[in-house]
Amino acid sequence: MGSAPTLQAAIPSVDRVLAQCAPLIALHGRERVLAAVRSELAALRSRLGEGSGDALAEAGIERIVARLGERLESEGAASLKPVFNLTGTLLHTNLGRALLPEEAVLALSVAAAHAVNLEFDLDAGRRGDRDQHLERLLEELTGAGRSTVVNNNAAAVLLALNTLAQKREVIVSRGELIEIGGEFRMPEIMKRAGCKLVEVGTTNRTHLRDYAEAIGPRTALIMKVHPSNYALVGFCESVEERALVPLARERGLPVLSDLGAGALVDLRRWDLPYEPTVQSMIACGVDLVTFSGDKLLGGPQAGLIAGKAELIARIKRNPLKRALRIDKLRIAALEAMLRLYRDPERLPQRLPVLRYMIRALSDIEAQAKRLADTVQSALAEWATVEALACESEAGSGSMPSDRLPSFGLAIKPRRRSPALQSVAAAFRSLPVPVIGRIHAGALVLDLRTLEDEQRFLDQLPMLGIGQKATSGRKAP
Ligand SMILES: *Cc1c(COP(=O)(O)O)cnc(C)c1O
């Protein structure tokens, strides 16, 4: 081993490294390459200072340039990118929920690239209203008198509560004070909307008389919340909207129903579990219904509010509406998606969410059996791969207690091979990261949503288990 000064001398100068970087400069620009060279050399210097032996081996110019190339490429890669969602959760909030139908993708990209009549009345030649593009469709599909759209359903609920019940009381059943992932807790939203929450009933049972007894001079609203991500089973009772409406009418109060998922077609038509539809709520006299654009509806993130014209008009005048509004891209996508609902017959071919939900089990099973061997050979020494039955779920608080029988690949590390977490990490570091779920000692890839099979297979040879796994990118 030489003395420290000679070791330091082994590190090339910035200029010598830069001289070898012409291709990188052409690709990434001189400024970024120079900054990367400096920080790379500084890191080497400090590792040599600490006496790290292998730092010397890494000080060769060729090695340095190769590392710079990798570093610049990974820094330059897009952060938001496509992944394979094989988690079995069809509407996965962390993976962006619903995939848009082609028609919506097209409408969105046209709107992105052009000036549009977003808030412009083409007939009158003056300022218009951005809700105009969706209103007619929503009214036709839901039977509501009027509608409006905001950023997401959390915003829809906040806006409706703030408009109708600020500084007043809102009656909600104790069994419906839900928390949905990511800090959306109904009592918290109430507080932020400036309303006083009046809880009625008990966790498992609420009766009509509980609502009746809670109504007082400060009551502004009766609210129903669809228990999206859990189900009450056993000794339980709740009051349905159709039973609440007559009581509310009698006392001159509006009823707000936060549906969450909010289907626009009866899913039983395709032998799927029942999910209350927006039109059924409107038909039984509910005054306002709030629902998400990117859950069962199958569109972009949005919060839709449909209901009585006079209440919607008040909501639209609330200054918060301006802060919560959506942009032209999502209005374009929503319009194109809602249009598809005019022809429910063909929805399964056009809406990815529905297509996944009704995909035949035999089809998924055949795919799992077809892929098992290929995936097994890609993982030869590390893991065993087996086709097996599993269950998918709609996710994002849609159809909480219903599972869809599915088929997937169960990948189990062999003894002495990298741990399960490394196998999962290796799948996540593929060019199109593959996201599965860990279940019973295996990485399970639910194939219900695997459509681009070729792309999935093509990247399997790049699975560097044990090597790249540790440097695998952070899970999304
Ligand atoms: C999902 C959900 C929300 C929140 O909707 P986002 O569109 O995610 O903001 C609110 N209420 C209920 C009942 C839900 O299921």
Side-chain angles (χ1 to χ4, degrees), residues 18-333:
L18 217 50
Q20 304 300 313
C21 287
L24 289 181
I25 291 173
L27 218 54
H28 304 285
R30 195 182 142 78
E31 260 181 63
R32 281 195 54 211
V33 175
L34 180 59
V37 171
R38 287 197 171 125
S39 100
E40 181 71 30
L41 296 184
L44 268 177
R45 231 171 269 126
S46 85
R47 290 184 56 200
L48 272 179
E50 288 161 10
S52 166
D54 59 350
L56 194 59
E58 286 168 20
I61 289 202
E62 257 173 50
R63 297 281 296 271
I64 293 177
V65 172
R67 281 201 304 280
L68 285 171
E70 277 173 26
R71 175 178 177 153
L72 286 161
E73 188 163 330
S74 82
E75 282 173 8
S79 165
L80 186 72
K81 57 186 160 187
V83 303
F84 282 106
N85 170 14
L86 305 186
T87 60
T89 301
L90 310 184
L91 298 163
H92 199 302
T93 299
N94 304 148
L95 302 179
R97 291 197 186 160
L99 308 192
L100 295 184
E102 265 172 47
E103 289 82 352
V105 173
L106 185 65
L108 181 153
S109 54
V110 169
H114 296 88
V116 293
N117 58 331
L118 178 64
E119 284 185 355
F120 188 75
D121 183 334
L122 287 172
D123 291 333
R126 57 178 145 77
R127 188 181 168 159
D129 176 356
R130 67 180 60 206
D131 284 338
Q132 76 193 4
H133 308 288
L134 305 171
E135 248 168 4
R136 220 161 13 101
L137 267 167
L138 274 171
E139 285 143 32
E140 173 190 322
L141 295 168
T142 66
R146 211 170 165 193
S147 61
T148 186
V149 182
V150 287
N151 182 52
N152 56 16
N153 191 35
V157 171
L158 177 75
L159 184 62
L161 287 172
N162 179 262
T163 307
L164 302 184
Q166 194 179 22
K167 299 197 178 118
R168 294 175 65 200
E169 295 175 355
V170 180
I171 301 177
V172 188
S173 160
R174 285 203 169 86
E176 296 173 9
L177 292 173
I178 56 166
E179 169 177 323
I180 301 163
E183 284 85 53
F184 183 91
R185 290 176 148 195
M186 201 45 88
E188 202 55 39
I189 293 283
M190 291 260 179
K191 206 183 290 169
R192 296 293 168 132
C195 312
K196 181 164 187 297
L197 168 65
V198 175
E199 303 175 23
V200 297
T202 59
T203 306
N204 58 332
R205 288 168 77 86
T206 303
H207 308 276
L208 190 60
R209 64 170 184 276
D210 296 325
Y211 286 96
E213 284 162 13
I215 296 174
R218 305 203 50 79
T219 308
L221 182 69
I222 298 179
M223 183 176 190
K224 281 284 295 176
V225 185
H226 192 56
S228 301
N229 43 9
Y230 74 107
L232 283 178
V233 290
F235 186 61
C236 58
E237 174 139 356
S238 62
V239 183
E240 293 209 359
E241 280 85 345
R242 76 171 53 80
L244 258 184
V245 166
L247 170 70
R249 282 282 147 75
E250 197 188 300
R251 306 293 190 92
L253 293 171
V255 175
L256 163 66
S257 174
D258 176 23
L259 275 189
L264 280 179
V265 274
D266 188 340
L267 297 171
R268 289 174 297 188
R269 173 184 192 131
W270 296 286
D271 292 327
L272 290 168
Y274 175 69
E275 180 76 20
T277 60
V278 180
Q279 50 273 42
S280 72
M281 291 294 143
I282 298 291
C284 78
V286 168
D287 298 272
L288 284 178
V289 185
T290 54
F291 53 109
S292 288
D294 54 356
K295 292 186 180 172
L296 286 179
L297 217 55
Q301 180 188 305
L304 298 91
I305 314 177
K308 299 264 154 67
E310 175 256 324
L311 299 180
I312 298 282
R314 279 172 61 195
I315 286 175
K316 285 168 71 106
R317 285 197 301 270
N318 187 330
L320 268 182
K321 165 74 163 63
R322 168 65 175 77
L324 303 173
R325 75 184 186 189
I326 63 170
D327 63 302
K328 65 172 181 175
L329 304 187
R330 290 188 283 155
I331 289 180

